[in-house]
Amino acid sequence: MAEGDGRTTCSGGSEEEEESDMEEMEEEAAGKDGEGRVYLPGLPLAEGEELVREESAYRLFQRAQTGAPCLSFDVVRDNLGEGRTEFPLTLTLCAGTQADTAQANRLLVMKMHNLWGNKPRKETSDGETDSESESESSGDEEEGGEGDRKPRLEIAMVPHHGGINRVRVSELRAGYPVAAVWGDTGRVEVWELQQPLRAVADAQGMRHFLQEQQDRLRPLHSFAGHMGEGFALDWSPTAPGRLATGDCKRNIHVWEPVEGGTWNVDQRPYTAHSRSVEDIQWSPNEPTVFASCSADASIRVWDTRVGPARGCMLTEAGAHGSDVNVISWNQHEPFICSGGDDGLIRIWDLRHFGDGVAVASFKLHSAPVTTVEWSAAESSVVAAAGADDVLSQWDLSVERDGPGGGGGGDGESGLSHLPPQLLFIHQGQRDIKELHWHPQCPGLILSTALSGFDVFRTLSV
């Protein structure tokens, strides 16, 4: 069976209505035997059936392994230009492992390069489509042979004691990237990335790194003031060096950079949440404003000018039916997207925040949503993924075709109850933890899971 994209009608309404719509959708899809039967996530496969990726639905698809799985990663911006769509692509990431022992963990700087897009398909004489033949391949491949299209991965490993829960990268100044790292030991550390970045740039740099630098690197700053481990972590995009960290004991601390490449961490925590702080997002345009979400089912918006005691400005108390796991703040519009243990993806308008009504609510995922992120290139597009091994792409600008009409006009195929905003469903990873859109390569998504990394761009975006 093929994995691909589908569009059809929006569920929108209460949670009871959404559950009813999902049941109808499953019945409609499962009720068609033989030709025309559509696979939807969560439905059982018949004996002997397996999911096969539909290559023609992807502009690019690559997969990578790092040994120990990575719960979290971030994209390191480079100087190769903005808006890159030409192949081959080069990408740089920073990730953290969750190894079997504390001593085996590493902070990874990875350079993925020579990433070519999928070969275009041509129509054969009998009307079928087939992969492009070797003789009709690109000039680059003809000149150097098939080996020229082999993707490359360089990794510089920095020893790190303890598993890494979350990684976020920022630049303190131009050309000086750093990574904030939340460890399962209860410490938050900031590491400079210049030396491992030089290592993945060329073979000579890697030799020097391995011989002279790898075992000597130490964090620029370490904070052990949290009462336990945590996951929430974000750099301000408008105030370089400003960082917020949240832990499983409901506390949030704000870091301010000071002279000498260190930080002053306010010992007074922001404490309005009643349970674990799961995620933090700084405002894309207000340097003192950030949002947080929690296992107490709420989303809160804070202003650091007021101070921790009275810093909570806005609250959506029942944002989800249970834990709110992740949030993403739209870079262009006053929207926050959230994902929860209830499997829902919800969109909140900050102009009406706190009234208990989401502007959109989508029920596709059958397990907790573990990651959401707005596209930086298209303000209406968001991606999400969860513990059901499904990654979904959505476009909020898509509307229903007409009264009772499916978003894709494909009622007989079993898709008539899918939201019309659904652009694409990607599968194939096991236990997806985090995704990011590449900020310099429009439409490109990277995701990490227990099974490794996927890098892809679909035809939908």
Side-chain angles (χ1 to χ4, degrees):
M1 303 294 292
E3 303 164 37
D5 52 345
R7 295 194 180 111
T8 32
T9 46
C10 184
S11 53
S14 66
E15 292 185 29
E16 291 80 6
E17 291 171 335
E18 289 161 356
E19 291 173 3
S20 175
D21 283 346
M22 281 297 291
E23 291 172 2
E24 292 177 25
M25 180 174 64
E26 291 171 1
E27 291 170 3
E28 189 173 346
K32 302 289 182 182
D33 292 326
E35 202 172 321
R37 180 178 181 269
V38 174
Y39 175 79
L40 296 174
L43 296 181
L45 294 173
E47 185 177 354
E49 284 185 321
E50 62 177 310
L51 293 177
V52 177
R53 184 174 64 256
E54 176 52 62
E55 297 289 348
S56 65
Y58 294 83
R59 300 177 192 270
L60 175 145
F61 177 84
Q62 300 287 351
R63 183 160 282 172
Q65 297 284 341
T66 57
C70 299
L71 291 184
S72 180
F73 74 101
D74 204 359
V75 177
V76 182
R77 294 183 67 93
D78 54 45
N79 60 1
L80 299 178
E82 305 296 319
R84 305 199 302 265
T85 58
E86 297 281 327
F87 300 122
L89 292 175
T90 295
L91 319 171
T92 307
L93 313 178
C94 181
T97 66
Q98 282 278 337
D100 293 335
T101 64
Q103 293 77 15
N105 283 289
R106 300 291 185 268
L107 180 65
L108 309 178
V109 172
M110 302 184 289
K111 178 184 176 182
M112 299 179 178
H113 57 114
N114 207 43
L115 303 183
W116 287 90
N118 290 358
K119 293 180 182 179
R121 294 195 170 194
K122 65 174 185 176
E123 189 169 328
T124 60
S125 57
D126 58 1
E128 299 291 329
T129 59
D130 196 6
S131 296
E132 192 179 51
S133 69
E134 294 303 318
S135 63
E136 295 169 328
S137 299
S138 70
D140 288 338
E141 188 176 350
E142 288 174 355
E143 182 178 345
E146 183 65 24
D148 281 351
R149 284 183 174 263
K150 183 178 181 181
R152 305 286 201 276
L153 175 62
E154 320 295 339
I155 304 179
M157 302 184 182
V158 179
H160 184 276
H161 182 78
I164 295 175
N165 293 343
R166 192 156 293 174
V167 176
R168 291 293 179 265
V169 174
S170 183
E171 282 194 341
L172 294 186
R173 57 184 181 274
Y176 192 75
V178 294
V181 176
W182 235 130
D184 62 10
T185 59
R187 288 180 175 270
V188 183
E189 299 168 338
V190 178
W191 294 76
E192 67 92 8
L193 299 180
Q194 285 185 312
Q195 294 179 40
L197 284 170
R198 292 192 196 102
V200 297
D202 56 56
Q204 183 177 349
M206 181 64 76
R207 284 194 297 271
H208 179 69
F209 175 78
L210 295 174
Q211 294 170 4
E212 305 292 338
Q213 298 172 333
Q214 184 179 43
D215 293 330
R216 300 178 184 178
L217 289 179
R218 298 293 182 269
L220 295 174
H221 192 84
S222 180
F223 177 63
H226 283 283
M227 302 302 292
E229 70 173 308
F231 294 85
L233 180 71
D234 196 37
W235 294 99
S236 169
T238 58
R242 182 172 292 164
L243 179 69
T245 55
D247 61 39
C248 296
K249 300 293 186 181
R250 76 186 182 91
N251 295 319
I252 299 172
H253 290 273
V254 173
W255 303 37
E256 294 290 348
V258 296
E259 295 270 342
T262 187
W263 280 261
N264 178 35
V265 185
D266 194 335
Q267 300 295 322
R268 303 168 301 160
Y270 295 79
T271 57
H273 285 297
S274 61
R275 296 182 63 193
S276 171
V277 179
E278 298 296 299
D279 201 7
I280 290 173
Q281 284 273 285
W282 284 95
S283 164
N285 42 48
E286 295 286 343
T288 63
V289 176
F290 68 90
S292 62
C293 66
S294 169
D296 64 11
S298 75
I299 302 173
R300 296 178 183 269
V301 178
W302 312 76
D303 193 329
T304 61
R305 292 173 296 184
V306 180
R310 296 180 293 114
C312 184
M313 300 287 103
L314 299 169
T315 301
E316 190 61 64
H320 286 258
S322 56
D323 300 22
V324 187
N325 297 325
V326 283
I327 53 175
S328 178
W329 199 316
N330 194 299
Q331 296 182 30
H332 308 286
E333 304 291 343
F335 296 143
I336 285 178
C337 179
S338 62
D341 265 4
D342 51 13
L344 290 173
I345 302 165
R346 285 187 162 157
I347 311 298
W348 305 93
D349 189 334
L350 289 167
R351 293 166 295 191
H352 307 286
F353 198 72
D355 62 8
V357 180
V359 298
S361 186
F362 303 114
K363 179 62 174 177
L364 172 75
H365 294 274
S366 59
V369 175
T370 56
T371 178
V372 295
E373 187 167 286
W374 292 99
S375 166
E378 298 189 51
S379 62
S380 63
V381 174
V382 67
D388 56 357
D389 304 336
V390 170
L391 190 154
S392 56
Q393 292 179 341
W394 306 78
D395 188 345
L396 271 64
S397 67
V398 177
E399 297 181 358
R400 186 176 291 138
D401 288 343
D410 199 6
E412 293 186 0
S413 72
L415 301 178
S416 63
H417 288 83
L418 286 175
Q421 293 84 1
L422 180 62
L423 293 180
F424 199 92
I425 294 172
H426 172 78
Q427 293 181 267
Q429 289 180 285
R430 179 169 55 87
D431 202 357
I432 304 172
K433 297 299 184 182
E434 195 167 279
L435 70 84
H436 293 295
W437 298 87
H438 196 290
Q440 296 171 280
C441 302
L444 189 71
I445 285 182
L446 304 99
S447 56
T448 185
L450 291 185
S451 54
F453 284 86
D454 276 7
V455 182
F456 62 92
R457 184 181 179 190
T458 71
L459 296 179
S460 303
V461 180

